[in-house]
Amino acid sequence: MLRVAVRRFRHETIGITAGLAGVGLLALVTGRSMNSNYRSSGLADCLAGGSESQCRELVEQFGDKFNSLQFLIVPLVLLPALLGAFVGAPLVARELEAGTHRFLWTQSVTRQRWFAYTSAVAVAVSLVAGALYALIAAAWLDTTNTVTGERFGRLYDFQGVVPIGASAFALAVGIASGVILRRTVPAMVATLGIFIGVRVFTAVALRPHFMPVKTLDIPFADGDPLEDAGAWVLSQKVFDGNGVVLGTGGNFNINLADVARQCPNLRSGAGAPLPPPEDVNACLSELGYHTVHKYHPADRFWTFQLIETGLLLGLACVAITVAALALRRRTA
């Protein structure tokens, strides 16, 4: 039965291999271009001897040159969903739709055994595909991670072991959708919808709370200590001395006239030039203005990856269990 199940996926395996080869070729071409620019522009030498803030201009030039690759983010994130839609969804739905399940399940192999072997091979294929995809993405993003240090950013879903869990989850959802809906196309659509919904919900509602959020409260004039730390900053709020929120991030308003009335050294006559920024910042700090950062430090990256991957694999097990129970209750 195992040999039959493996042969059953020969065409799907060829398709997955071709897809990974295409992604690998894209990663090779664009990755080499990024690495070449990273070294020839002097950015590599600059970062080796300083920090991103000291190499700001070169970092911005690197970003401007390769920001056009951002259009690849969405399709590459959705690759596991396509695996679930085109491999997982037809697994059982195609047999039910064509009526061939009546022949399969009247042989010496029971429907439960047929489903167990077939789904096991499918999940194994998805895990291998996810692992290869993760390795390709890791090589592709190596230079970008070195330049930005922001693995928690918009490229998080490409990195680490999350692609492995996402591939297994998408395939399991596809199998369950096929068993329940019994039609290939509706099962494919449902797989895409469920995968996208779960991934968005996880990123927005669950991921920020995988671990307790850290808080950093600093005087207004002390700059941004998290700028080069690679941390995932959830919020950044500016407060005045009375605890009133003046704004978030870099968007806040401070009435300099009110501040000047409280700081004699900032007062000046009509038409006089504005006081130096460092004097204004020193005054704001004395008045109790401060910035509160809510963030996750960079060293939590792998912990978050393992938590999210475990969650996705757990949901995959639930989906496979639901599919097995639904298949067992079928009478025809």
Side-chain angles (χ1 to χ4, degrees):
M1 183 60 202
L2 180 60
R3 183 181 301 176
V4 173
V6 171
R7 291 185 60 188
R8 162 79 169 71
F9 281 96
R10 61 185 183 278
H11 298 299
E12 288 85 349
T13 302
I14 293 173
I16 293 172
T17 302
L20 288 174
V23 173
L25 180 61
L26 175 66
L28 177 64
V29 173
T30 57
R32 290 186 64 179
S33 177
M34 287 190 289
N35 186 265
S36 175
N37 179 270
Y38 169 66
R39 299 186 182 283
S40 63
S41 66
L43 180 56
D45 295 333
C46 182
L47 290 178
S51 65
E52 182 184 341
S53 59
Q54 296 172 321
C55 312
R56 180 67 60 190
E57 184 176 349
L58 291 174
V59 171
E60 290 178 353
Q61 291 175 1
F62 180 89
D64 292 340
K65 184 175 181 62
F66 296 104
N67 274 345
S68 59
L69 295 177
Q70 289 185 2
F71 77 94
L72 295 172
I73 292 176
V74 173
L76 289 177
V77 167
L78 291 179
L79 276 180
L82 298 179
L83 175 67
F86 287 94
V87 177
L91 183 71
V92 179
R94 184 167 52 196
E95 307 291 352
L96 297 174
E97 198 170 22
T100 53
H101 66 287
R102 296 185 180 90
F103 171 77
L104 290 173
W105 296 347
T106 55
Q107 306 305 303
S108 58
V109 177
T110 64
R111 69 178 72 180
Q112 289 82 12
R113 187 181 177 194
W114 173 85
F115 177 77
Y117 276 97
T118 307
S119 60
V121 172
V123 170
V125 170
S126 73
L127 291 174
V128 172
L132 292 175
Y133 177 57
L135 290 174
I136 293 172
W140 183 47
L141 296 174
D142 181 62
T143 301
T144 301
N145 286 337
T146 302
V147 173
T148 65
E150 297 178 356
R151 292 188 296 175
F152 267 122
R154 63 185 183 276
L155 301 177
Y156 174 88
D157 292 298
F158 295 120
Q159 316 231 20
V161 292
V162 164
I164 301 175
S167 298
F169 169 68
L171 187 97
V173 168
I175 294 174
S177 299
V179 172
I180 294 171
L181 298 178
R182 309 180 187 183
R183 295 290 184 271
T184 301
V185 174
M188 295 170 69
V189 174
T191 300
L192 292 173
I194 294 172
F195 179 86
I196 295 173
V198 170
R199 299 299 290 129
V200 171
F201 179 77
T202 300
V204 174
L206 299 182
R207 188 181 300 161
H209 307 289
F210 282 165
M211 296 182 70
V213 177
K214 286 196 171 185
T215 301
L216 180 63
D217 191 335
I218 60 173
F220 180 81
D222 284 1
D224 185 0
L226 300 177
E227 183 177 5
D228 297 326
W232 180 17
V233 180
L234 302 177
S235 67
Q236 180 181 335
K237 296 181 179 180
V238 178
F239 295 83
D240 65 12
N242 298 319
V244 177
V245 179
L246 301 177
T248 59
N251 301 315
F252 55 88
N253 295 312
I254 296 177
N255 191 323
L256 289 180
D258 292 339
V259 173
R261 282 194 293 269
Q262 302 177 68
C263 294
N265 62 313
L266 296 183
R267 296 175 184 173
S268 58
L274 293 174
E278 56 270 19
D279 291 346
V280 176
N281 287 338
C283 171
L284 292 174
S285 295
E286 292 176 4
L287 295 176
Y289 284 68
H290 58 111
T291 305
V292 177
H293 301 78
K294 301 285 187 180
Y295 73 103
H296 290 292
D299 59 11
R300 290 182 174 180
F301 174 80
W302 282 108
T303 302
F304 273 57
Q305 284 275 318
L306 293 174
I307 292 173
E308 189 159 342
T309 302
L311 174 63
L312 291 171
L313 292 177
L315 291 175
C317 292
V318 171
I320 289 293
T321 301
V322 169
L325 293 175
L327 191 67
R328 184 176 181 181
R329 292 177 180 178
R330 281 191 56 85
T331 58

